[in-house]
C-alpha cells in the first residue's frame, strides 16, 4: 500500500470504530431509559393506587363508625325512615363537604329504604346490583366500583346487624368526578366503559381535567389500556399509564388514566445524548486531523529521502538531508553520515589518482 493512502485508511478505521461505539452506547442508553420509564410507571401507578385505596379505606371506616351508632340501628330495625333521615342530615351534610355524596340504606330483600342523596326515591328494586347480591349472599362488606345513573362510584357496602339479626345493608360512596380526580396526584382522567345497565358504551364517557385527552390518547392506546393494566406509553414528554377499576366480580368497568410530566427528565436525556454525540464527533475530528498531520510529515520526509537518493544515484554526493528527532530523522542522519563517508572516500580516491599520475609523469 502506498503511504499516501494510509491516512484515508486509518481515518476510515477510526470513524467506523467510533460509529460502532456510538450505536452501542445509544442502544444501551435507550435500554436504560426504557427500564427507568418502566420503573417510574410502576412507582407512579403504586402512588395513585395507594391514594385510591386510602379513599376506599376512609369510606369503609366512616361507614363502620356510623353503624356503631345505636340510634341508627334502632331506626333501621323499626323501619322508621323519616326519623333516620332527620337524624342523619347533619352527618350527611358533613359527608358532602368532603365529596361523599352516596349514602343509602337497603332492606334485606334488596329494596331501597333510604337514599340520603335522593330521599324522595325509595322502595325500588335493587336486586340487579351485583355488589348488593354479593353482600347479601356472603354477609360481609365489600369496597368496589359500581356504575349508577350518575356515573361510576367508589362504594363501601356493609351488612347491618342488630342483636345478631340481618336488618339492612348500608352504602357509602362517592362519584368519580373532577373533584375526585383533583385529589389524586398528577393529571388524572377517568374513562367509563359501560352504562348503568351493564351495556358496553360505543363511545366511552371521559371525565378529565384535560379536555384534550381524547386527542392525546388514540383508540388503539385505549384498547391496549383496557386489555393490559401494565401498558403505558410516552408521548411529547408525558407518561400515560392506567389503573383498572373493577366491579365486585372483577370485571373492568372503568379506567383511571394518569398523565405524568417527564419533560424535564426527557430533555436531560436528549441533552446528554447530544453532548455525547458532540464530544465523540469532536474526538474523531481531532484524531483524524492529528493523524493527517503526522502522516503528512512522514510522507514529506520520505519524499525528501527518495529525492536525495535519486540525486546520489545520478552521482551527486554533495546533497544533504535535514534530520529530525523522529525515526525518519534518524534514517536521514544515518544517510547523511553515509554520504559524508562516501564523499571522503571519493576525495581519497581522487588524491590517489593524482599521486599515480604524478609518478607516471616522472
Amino acid at each position: 500500500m502506498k503511504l499516501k493512502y494510509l491516512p484515508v485508511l486509518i481515518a476510515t478505521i477510526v470513524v467506523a470504530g467510533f460509529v460502532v461505539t456510538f450505536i452501542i452506547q445509544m442502544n444501551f442508553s435507550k435500554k436504560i431509559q426504557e427500564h427507568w420509564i418502566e420503573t417510574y410507571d410502576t412507582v407512579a401507578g403504586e402512588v395513585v393506587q395507594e391514594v385510591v385505596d386510602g379513599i376506599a379505606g376512609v369510606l369503609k371506616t366512616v361507614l363502620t363508625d356510623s353503624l356503631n351508632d345505636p340510634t341508627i340501628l334502632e331506626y333501621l330495625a323499626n323501619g322508621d325512615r323519616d326519623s333516620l333521615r332527620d337524624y342523619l342530615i347533619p352527618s350527611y351534610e358533613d359527608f358532602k363537604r368532603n365529596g361523599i355524596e352516596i349514602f343509602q340504606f337497603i332492606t334485606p330483600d334488596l329494596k331501597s329504604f333510604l337514599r340520603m342523596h335522593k330521599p324522595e326515591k325509595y322502595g325500588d328494586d335493587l336486586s340487579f346490583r351485583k355488589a348488593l347480591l354479593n353482600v347479601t349472599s356472603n354477609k360481609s362488606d365489600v369496597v368496589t366500583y359500581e356504575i349508577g345513573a350518575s356515573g361510576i362510584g367508589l362504594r363501601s357496602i356493609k351488612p347491618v346487624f342488630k342483636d345478631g339479626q340481618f336488618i339492612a345493608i348500608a352504602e357509602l360512596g362517592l362519584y368519580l368526578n373532577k373533584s375526585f380526580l383533583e385529589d389524586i396526584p398528577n393529571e388524572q382522567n377517568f374513562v367509563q366503559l359501560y352504562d348503568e345497565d351493564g351495556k358496553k358504551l360505543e363511545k366511552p364517557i371521559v371525565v378529565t381535567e384535560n379536555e384534550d385527552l381524547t386527542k392525546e390518547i388514540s383508540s388503539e392506546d385505549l384498547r391496549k389500556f383496557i386489555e393490559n393494566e401494565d401498558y403505558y406509553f410516552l408521548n411529547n414528554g408525558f407518561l400515560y399509564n392506567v389503573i383498572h377499576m373493577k366491579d365486585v366480580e372483577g370485571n373492568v368497568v372503568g379506567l383511571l388514566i394518569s398523565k405524568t410530566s417527564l419533560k424535564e427528565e426527557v430533555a436531560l436525556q436528549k441533552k446528554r445524548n447530544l453532548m455525547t454525540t458532540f464530544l465523540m464527533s469532536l474526538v474523531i475530528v481531532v484524531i483524524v486531523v492529528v493523524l493527517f498531520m503526522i502522516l503528512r510529515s512522514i510522507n514529506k520526509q520520505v519524499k525528501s529521502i527518495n529525492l536525495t537518493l535519486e540525486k546520489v544515484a545520478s552521482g551527486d554526493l554533495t546533497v544533504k538531508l535535514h534530520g529530525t528527532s523522529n525515526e525518519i530523522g534518524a534514517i536521514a542522519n544515518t544517510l547523511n553520515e553515509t554520504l559524508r563517508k562516501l564523499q571522503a572516500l571519493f576525495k581519497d580516491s581522487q588524491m590517489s589518482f593524482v599521486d599515480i599520475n604524478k609518478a607516471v609523469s616522472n
Side-chain angles (χ1 to χ4, degrees):
M1 179 187 292
K2 292 185 177 181
L3 194 60
K4 65 179 181 180
Y5 298 130
L6 193 58
V8 177
L9 176 62
I10 294 178
T12 302
I13 294 173
V14 170
V15 171
F18 271 93
V19 168
V20 172
T21 303
F22 176 76
I23 293 174
I24 294 174
Q25 194 271 340
M26 288 294 103
N27 184 63
F28 186 67
S29 177
K30 183 180 178 181
K31 294 292 184 183
I32 292 176
Q33 184 180 25
E34 289 175 353
H35 177 72
W36 174 79
I37 291 176
E38 182 177 350
T39 303
Y40 194 95
D41 166 66
T42 302
V43 173
E46 289 175 352
V47 169
V48 173
Q49 187 63 60
E50 286 179 3
V51 173
V52 174
D53 290 344
I55 295 173
V58 169
L59 291 175
K60 186 175 181 178
T61 300
V62 171
L63 183 59
T64 300
D65 290 343
S66 298
L67 296 178
N68 287 331
D69 188 334
T71 303
I72 294 177
L73 297 180
E74 189 67 28
Y75 289 147
L76 283 172
N78 295 333
D80 191 346
R81 179 183 300 105
D82 293 336
S83 297
L84 179 61
R85 181 195 63 208
D86 294 340
Y87 182 74
L88 289 175
I89 285 176
S91 297
Y92 182 62
E93 292 299 322
D94 186 51
F95 291 164
K96 286 197 297 183
R97 283 191 290 271
N98 289 279
I100 300 175
E101 300 179 17
I102 304 170
F103 194 17
Q104 179 174 205
F105 294 91
I106 302 102
T107 61
D109 60 350
L110 301 184
K111 300 289 193 303
S112 175
F113 179 71
L114 172 64
R115 289 182 176 92
M116 290 300 296
H117 47 292
K118 290 182 180 179
E120 71 283 356
K121 184 179 180 181
Y122 58 89
D124 49 313
D125 184 22
L126 301 178
S127 60
F128 64 90
R129 290 179 53 188
K130 299 175 183 178
L132 296 181
L133 291 171
N134 182 283
V135 172
T136 302
S137 174
N138 298 323
K139 299 299 187 295
S140 60
D141 54 334
V142 298
V143 178
T144 186
Y145 296 100
E146 199 173 56
I147 298 175
S150 300
I152 192 168
L154 177 60
R155 304 166 186 251
S156 175
I157 307 173
K158 187 177 182 68
V160 183
F161 296 91
K162 186 176 187 298
D163 300 328
Q165 186 77 21
F166 176 44
I167 61 172
I169 297 174
E171 178 180 24
L172 189 69
L174 47 79
Y175 293 113
L176 273 64
N177 49 30
K178 287 190 176 183
S179 297
F180 173 82
L181 297 178
E182 289 170 356
D183 292 334
I184 303 177
N186 301 321
E187 185 177 316
Q188 303 297 326
N189 310 277
F190 172 69
V191 180
Q192 181 178 324
L193 304 175
Y194 296 86
D195 62 18
E196 59 179 312
D197 296 324
K199 296 180 180 179
K200 190 172 183 178
L201 297 169
E202 292 185 8
K203 184 177 181 181
I205 299 173
V206 179
V207 179
T208 176
E209 296 180 74
N210 177 9
E211 300 301 332
D212 293 330
L213 174 69
T214 53
K215 299 178 182 178
E216 298 173 7
I217 299 179
S218 67
S219 57
E220 179 65 15
D221 287 322
L222 186 60
R223 182 187 65 80
K224 291 180 180 180
F225 275 142
I226 295 172
E227 294 177 353
N228 183 8
E229 192 171 11
D230 294 329
Y231 175 70
Y232 64 88
F233 68 92
L234 190 66
N235 183 32
N236 293 328
F238 288 96
L239 174 68
Y240 296 82
N241 59 348
V242 68
I243 292 177
H244 283 175
M245 295 184 163
K246 301 177 181 179
D247 63 15
V248 71
E249 294 182 342
N251 300 314
V252 179
V253 295
L255 307 174
L256 186 62
I257 301 175
S258 298
K259 177 183 177 183
T260 307
S261 175
L262 297 180
K263 285 189 174 182
E264 186 174 338
E265 290 81 356
V266 172
L268 287 174
Q269 178 71 15
K270 289 182 178 179
K271 184 177 180 181
R272 188 180 72 85
N273 290 341
L274 287 174
M275 185 62 68
T276 300
T277 303
F278 172 76
L279 290 176
M280 292 185 73
S281 301
L282 181 62
V283 169
I284 290 175
V285 171
V286 170
I287 290 176
V288 170
V289 170
V290 170
L291 283 173
F292 179 78
M293 293 176 65
I294 292 174
L295 292 174
R296 183 183 178 188
S297 175
I298 293 173
N299 192 40
K300 183 178 179 180
Q301 293 178 63
V302 170
K303 284 183 177 180
S304 177
I305 291 175
N306 286 335
L307 182 61
T308 300
L309 292 175
E310 288 175 359
K311 290 181 179 180
V312 171
S314 64
D316 186 1
L317 299 179
T318 62
V319 293
K320 185 177 181 181
L321 290 169
H322 297 288
T324 60
S325 58
N326 57 26
E327 287 78 0
I328 302 297
I331 294 174
N333 292 332
T334 302
L335 184 57
N336 284 333
E337 181 64 19
T338 301
L339 290 174
R340 186 186 66 76
K341 291 180 178 180
L342 286 173
Q343 289 173 359
L345 181 61
F346 182 74
K347 288 180 180 180
D348 290 342
S349 298
Q350 285 182 328
M351 293 299 296
S352 297
F353 280 118
V354 168
D355 292 339
I356 292 172
N357 288 329
K358 286 181 179 181
V360 170
S361 300
N362 295 331

